[in-house]
Amino acid sequence: MGNQRTFASMAWSCKGKVTRRERFLAEMDGVIPWTRLVALIEPYYPKAGQGRQPLGLEKMLRIYFLQQWFNLSDPQAEDTIYDSESMRRFARVELGDDVVPDESTILRFRHLLEKHGLTKAIFDAVADLLQERRLLLCSGTIVDATIISAPSSTKNATATRDPEMKQTKKGRNFYFGMKLHVGADKHGIIHTVTATDARTADITQLAHLLHGQEREIFGDQAYWKEADRRAFQARGIRYRVNRRPHWTAPLSARWKQLNRIRSRTRARGEHAFRVIKHLWGFSKVRYRGLAKNLARAQTMFALANLYQLRHELLPTAARYAL
């Protein structure tokens, strides 16, 4: 017999309005390659046997994704499953019939993904899907970086700042935290992501952000280097990085115009930053250390790629039904 639905669940089904949250969750449910992602995690997931029975793998993955979209801690994720019918439906949980994972179970699942490098596998699996659908371009790469803030206070259990986070100055302001560096295609879909402390110069990550098949490279003035321009030009790669003025030689009107033209393409690399930072709340680190926050970023950029291409990925009939 199937799950017994609660009265609240049945009443929720009969309501007339579809909320923005429901529409978002339905769209993401339709574009995430669940079978592919479950298959890559399954070899590492605990098997049923003696002792405590593991909860469904796909259910745990769905809750993990909810954490990313709504910026939820492990305790908040547990509470939200009880509080929100739309999130319960996305997670495939029916109160009164299914076991709701507690915060410790949610924590262990996240640690499992981090321990075995499965967030990188999720990111790569989504990139493979987009390449198969010809939605990830290889002809050019946009390089960019963004700062993710970290607590600078020492009022915590260890009375110390995170030693892997550093301070940097941008404009007139100082920031303490880390940097996410990305390589994106010319539509702003991320194909590579790395993490460093905030003090690390953007240009040091350039070589790590290229996939090797580029015919063009775009970036802001932080990536300009004359030696790189010559090296890429010798390899037949068009160097579309915004030229940086020298204090003894301001940019000519021609170069200012070229920079503006290049910035029209370069700005697309910031679209994914808007999604993860402003829509989904990843503007501050949640964990100590670069590795855990890079793992979170890999998952979020994979989901951001799907979100940006959801209209292309959703079947036409499903798109109009939402």
Side-chain angles (χ1 to χ4, degrees):
M1 182 179 294
N3 289 353
Q4 295 291 326
R5 299 182 63 189
T6 64
F7 288 115
S9 177
M10 290 186 286
W12 188 87
S13 300
C14 298
K15 66 183 179 58
K17 180 179 174 62
V18 177
T19 66
R20 286 192 295 269
R21 176 184 288 180
E22 292 172 70
R23 184 178 296 275
F24 166 76
L25 292 175
E27 288 177 342
M28 296 306 294
D29 196 4
V31 300
I32 292 172
W34 294 109
T35 302
R36 188 177 304 208
L37 299 188
V38 168
L40 65 87
I41 299 171
E42 194 275 334
Y44 305 94
Y45 196 64
K47 305 298 186 293
Q50 293 184 352
R52 190 172 186 178
Q53 298 297 303
L55 298 177
L57 169 54
E58 184 175 325
K59 180 189 298 185
M60 296 304 303
L61 184 60
R62 286 173 176 272
I63 293 172
Y64 176 68
F65 287 163
L66 288 173
Q67 285 187 276
Q68 313 312 313
W69 294 323
F70 299 101
N71 196 23
L72 302 172
S73 66
D74 301 325
Q76 287 172 332
E78 178 187 356
D79 290 346
T80 298
I81 297 302
Y82 283 104
D83 289 342
S84 172
E85 180 67 29
S86 60
M87 291 195 185
R88 279 199 298 275
R89 290 202 167 203
F90 179 85
R92 302 294 191 265
V93 172
E94 188 70 45
L95 290 182
D97 190 82
D98 295 323
V99 175
V100 176
D102 60 23
E103 61 179 274
S104 297
T105 303
I106 295 170
L107 170 68
R108 285 195 296 270
F109 183 76
R110 177 167 56 80
H111 284 176
L112 175 80
L113 299 182
E114 295 166 354
K115 177 181 178 181
H116 298 289
L118 294 173
T119 56
K120 178 64 163 58
I122 290 171
F123 180 85
D124 291 340
V126 169
D128 290 343
L129 170 67
L130 299 182
Q131 285 187 320
E132 292 166 13
R133 298 288 296 272
R134 299 186 177 183
L135 295 172
L136 183 60
L137 307 178
C138 295
S139 60
T141 286
I142 303 166
V143 291
D144 208 347
T146 190
I147 296 173
I148 306 295
S149 299
S152 58
S153 172
T154 58
K155 295 180 180 179
N156 52 51
T158 61
T160 60
R161 288 180 171 186
D162 187 336
E164 296 186 30
M165 305 293 165
K166 303 295 182 184
Q167 183 169 281
T168 190
K169 186 178 182 181
K170 186 176 181 181
R172 296 183 177 181
N173 298 318
F174 287 90
Y175 298 90
F176 180 78
M178 63 180 287
K179 272 185 187 176
L180 293 177
H181 308 261
V182 300
D185 74 3
K186 294 204 299 184
H187 289 163
I189 304 304
I190 307 299
H191 60 69
T192 310
V193 55
T194 65
T196 66
D197 62 69
R199 188 183 297 169
T200 300
D202 297 357
I203 197 171
T204 64
Q205 296 299 298
L206 176 60
H208 304 296
L209 301 177
L210 306 178
H211 51 63
Q213 301 178 49
E214 293 89 357
R215 297 195 296 272
E216 291 181 295
I217 298 172
F218 296 84
D220 63 25
Q221 294 179 2
Y223 295 93
W224 172 267
K225 186 178 180 181
E226 178 61 22
D228 285 350
R229 185 191 69 79
R230 294 176 181 177
F232 283 117
Q233 190 174 44
R235 292 161 51 190
I237 300 172
R238 292 185 287 275
Y239 190 71
R240 306 300 196 199
V241 175
N242 286 13
R243 184 180 284 264
R244 182 164 44 201
H246 191 270
W247 67 275
T248 62
L251 290 181
S252 66
R254 174 178 173 273
W255 272 111
K256 289 180 180 179
Q257 177 65 16
L258 283 174
N259 279 358
R260 284 193 291 269
I261 293 171
R262 293 174 177 181
S263 292
R264 293 170 191 166
T265 299
R266 182 192 59 76
R268 296 173 192 156
E270 299 177 356
H271 292 180
F273 292 157
R274 173 183 172 272
V275 173
I276 71 164
K277 294 180 75 172
H278 299 292
L279 297 185
W280 298 346
F282 189 19
S283 57
K284 295 182 179 180
V285 302
R286 183 174 290 281
Y287 315 113
R288 285 175 71 89
L290 293 176
K292 288 180 179 291
N293 289 291
L294 175 58
R296 182 185 179 192
Q298 289 164 340
T299 300
M300 295 196 79
F301 280 123
L303 295 172
N305 284 344
L306 293 172
Y307 176 76
Q308 292 187 89
L309 293 170
R310 64 195 185 281
H311 297 304
E312 290 83 354
L313 290 167
L314 277 173
T316 303
R319 198 183 313 155
Y320 285 111
L322 292 173

